[in-house]
Amino acid sequence: MLAPTLIPTIITAVSKLASTLGPMIARTAPMLLKTVGENLPKVIQAIEQLSIASNVLKPNESVNELGAKAIAADKTPEDFNEINDYIEYLRNDVTEVTLSDEPTSVLARQAIGSAILLQGLNTELSTNISLPFLNKVAEIGVGSKVVFEIIKAYSDSGLNIEQIEAYSDGQLSLTETKCHSDCLVSAYKNAEPTMTQQEAEQAVMKDF
């Protein structure tokens, strides 16, 4: 867990770089920080793993390095037609970066890198990944393969992924609960094809 008092400091550090980073990152990174708060390290790890699973990020790359490259870059996402073109630019054309070990600098870089990867994931998966959802699954420790399949399942189903917390807290109607349960069970089975229906149902009950 991250000390809550660090969050405003990191937001300030990111905001100071707004003109360098461009509007999209300057808007998304603080939103990420405010939404996930002390769960930031877990959410960053989840975003990194999801990005690797969906090929937005290569296995030898890191959210930390991507954020450092964004800070050092001469161009912003707004200079490109697609976010993945911007990521390719950072990957191939930005080579000299500064990687300070100071905690606030590290977390600011990671928040910036995560903001970029979120946009890349949204494009890759043709969806809009909910930050409260990411915060919830990171908090309870759902594996990246399952999270990846949950995002796809919800995107296909038309259900509101932000209702997962309400589902988990037993605040939905019986009909809504059944729809969410079926969607989650399907996602777990897609993530682990050897799972039986009963095993998937038990896994969903355990996690949510």
Side-chain angles (χ1 to χ4, degrees), residues 121-144:
L121 283 166
N122 285 339
T123 299
E124 186 68 24
L125 301 175
S126 300
T127 190
N128 188 17
I129 297 172
S130 157
L131 285 174
F133 161 73
L134 275 183
N135 192 38
K136 179 69 176 177
V137 293
E139 183 181 9
I140 62 182
V142 178
S144 60

Side-chain angles (χ1 to χ4, degrees), residues 46-60:
I47 290 171
E48 187 173 79
Q49 290 172 348
L50 281 172
S51 300
I52 291 171
S54 59
N55 298 315
V56 173
L57 197 65
K58 294 181 179 178
N60 63 331

